[in-house]
Amino acid sequence: AMRAAILEAKEAGDSVGGIVEVYATGLPVGLGDPMFDGVENRVSRAMFGIPAVRGVEFSAGLAAADLRGSAHNDAWRMDGDRVISETNRHGGVLGGMTTGMPLVVRAAFKPTPSIARAQRTVDVAKRENAVLEIAGRHDPCIVPRAVVVMESILAIALCELEMDDAAQRALTEGVCT
């Protein structure tokens, strides 16, 4: 379906956007902060650094607004010595901190603006309406190439959170005096 939508847009001289989902596993419990430096805050800030990103969501994201608590809440259980959720609807983060479950992040990418179709614009130098026609190769969708970018950005944001956590532990344990 995705390939067909991209090819259809290309044939029409147009472009399409899409959604990329990435996740991280093996995170410790408690990484992040309940307020301004929470996991969602830090990861979102990094994701919005990708120029074509128009929205970021975690877990059920915006769809969570249409759910009741009973439908969104996760069931928890013991798995050996670990507490895990059976469904991970929270996407690995609660209250700004990691839960040890996989962290799930999605970003919405806008359609590529440079398309083969003529577009109305303004010639600022002449101060008049104009038509923009871009010649050359046009990328009908950047989403397939955005996957590795999102994976890298998520890794950077999580690395920063891990370093902050390690620094905070060092301070509270008296290592840094």
Side-chain angles (χ1 to χ4, degrees), residues 63-88:
D66 292 330
L67 300 175
R68 291 184 176 208
S70 58
H72 187 267
N73 291 348
D74 289 301
W76 295 86
R77 67 177 174 81
M78 292 301 298
D79 181 32
D81 291 339
R82 289 185 35 194
V83 175
I84 64 167
S85 70
E86 294 177 355
T87 52
N88 196 31

Side-chain angles (χ1 to χ4, degrees), residues 10-126:
K10 181 179 181 178
E11 296 212 2
D14 215 337
S15 65
V16 293
I19 295 174
V20 175
E21 179 177 285
V22 294
Y23 62 94
T25 59
L27 298 172
V29 174
L31 191 62
D33 184 82
M35 281 299 287
F36 302 111
D37 267 341
V39 173
E40 296 105 320
N41 308 49
R42 299 283 289 269
V43 171
S44 293
R45 182 171 52 221
M47 291 293 173
F48 277 115
I50 304 168
V53 169
R54 289 297 175 258
V56 175
E57 65 181 8
F58 295 80
S59 161
L62 297 175
D66 292 330
L67 300 175
R68 291 184 176 208
S70 58
H72 187 267
N73 291 348
D74 289 301
W76 295 86
R77 67 177 174 81
M78 292 301 298
D79 181 32
D81 291 339
R82 289 185 35 194
V83 175
I84 64 167
S85 70
E86 294 177 355
T87 52
N88 196 31
R89 290 187 195 103
H90 67 284
V93 60
L94 288 171
M97 298 187 295
T98 55
T99 64
M101 298 301 294
L103 178 65
V104 181
V105 185
R106 277 184 298 285
F109 285 79
K110 70 177 185 171
T112 311
S114 54
I115 59 176
R117 287 183 172 187
Q119 300 179 77
R120 292 189 315 252
T121 189
V122 172
D123 183 328
V124 179
K126 294 179 181 177

Side-chain angles (χ1 to χ4, degrees), residues 119-142:
Q119 300 179 77
R120 292 189 315 252
T121 189
V122 172
D123 183 328
V124 179
K126 294 179 181 177
R127 302 198 52 78
E128 63 186 30
N129 296 332
V131 174
L132 173 67
E133 294 187 65
I134 301 172
R137 183 179 177 275
H138 304 282
D139 194 344
C141 185
I142 62 167

